[in-house]
Amino acid sequence: MPFWVQHTEKRVNTQYQQVGLSSDEVVDLAAAFRLYGFWRIELDSGHFFATEDLCHIFGMEPQDGPINLMAITARIHPEDMPRLMETFERASAERLTYHNIYRIRTDAEDYKYVRSVGKFRDKPGTAGEVVGVTYEFFAQRPGVTFFLDEMPDNQA
């Protein structure tokens, strides 16, 4: 599975302003045709907060307050967990932005691909937090159809 980590010095993308869109419209457009789940992890407490869409992506009932992180991680493919943990730890320690593509269990035998993009965020008086977005990931190529069990490893 590919993963990517980069320093947070990347410029903030405000291109949407050039065509007269608001930041709210950007979020509305991005989330119009698929679930986009937003989340936050407090590094001091380990509390994980998530939106309704994230809960639906993971096949869980939405709830107020912290989400059970063990229930979330139990749905992630066991082969993907070590890389996710390594990336999360590096992003937290080095204050980086990252992206991962990994698999989430949909039932007893099947998985779907999701992408998470996260970044470290300073929070005064604390060790900080990691915030991000997760959405279902569908590889799409013009004129080509892949079935997940036939997709080459480097195409996910």
Side-chain angles (χ1 to χ4, degrees):
M1 296 268 149
F3 70 103
W4 175 51
V5 179
Q6 80 167 45
H7 294 283
T8 58
E9 287 91 32
K10 181 179 182 273
R11 72 175 179 83
V12 174
N13 185 342
T14 58
Q15 294 179 55
Y16 62 90
Q17 294 171 348
Q18 294 172 358
V19 295
L21 293 174
S22 70
S23 56
D24 287 343
E25 288 173 312
V26 171
V27 172
D28 287 344
L29 287 168
F33 294 100
R34 61 170 63 153
L35 298 175
Y36 271 75
F38 298 95
W39 49 267
R40 174 175 58 93
I41 301 174
E42 296 176 348
L43 296 180
D44 287 342
S45 68
H47 287 151
F48 181 77
F49 298 89
T51 62
E52 181 178 331
D53 277 2
L54 187 91
C55 292
H56 290 304
I57 289 168
F58 277 82
M60 299 173 61
E61 288 295 318
Q63 65 184 57
D64 293 330
I67 304 290
N68 183 338
L69 194 54
M70 294 302 292
I72 292 282
T73 58
R75 288 171 167 76
I76 297 173
H77 195 289
E79 293 174 3
D80 298 342
M81 276 305 296
R83 185 169 299 159
L84 288 172
M85 294 308 299
E86 176 186 338
T87 303
F88 183 81
E89 288 172 14
R90 183 173 170 210
S92 300
E94 299 177 32
R95 300 171 184 248
L96 302 173
T97 298
Y98 70 92
H99 121 113
N100 282 101
I101 298 169
Y102 54 100
R103 295 165 285 181
I104 295 176
R105 184 179 41 238
T106 57
D107 57 33
E109 298 177 12
D110 298 313
Y111 288 84
K112 63 183 173 184
Y113 284 92
V114 298
R115 173 179 277 147
S116 287
V117 179
K119 72 173 193 167
F120 177 85
R121 181 167 75 178
D122 282 316
K123 186 176 178 184
T126 73
E129 54 192 12
V130 176
V131 297
V133 61
T134 299
Y135 59 93
E136 289 186 42
F137 178 67
F138 303 99
Q140 296 179 352
R141 293 176 181 248
V144 177
T145 300
F146 287 114
F147 295 97
L148 292 181
D149 59 339
E150 298 174 356
M151 190 180 304
D153 290 341
N154 63 350
Q155 300 298 313

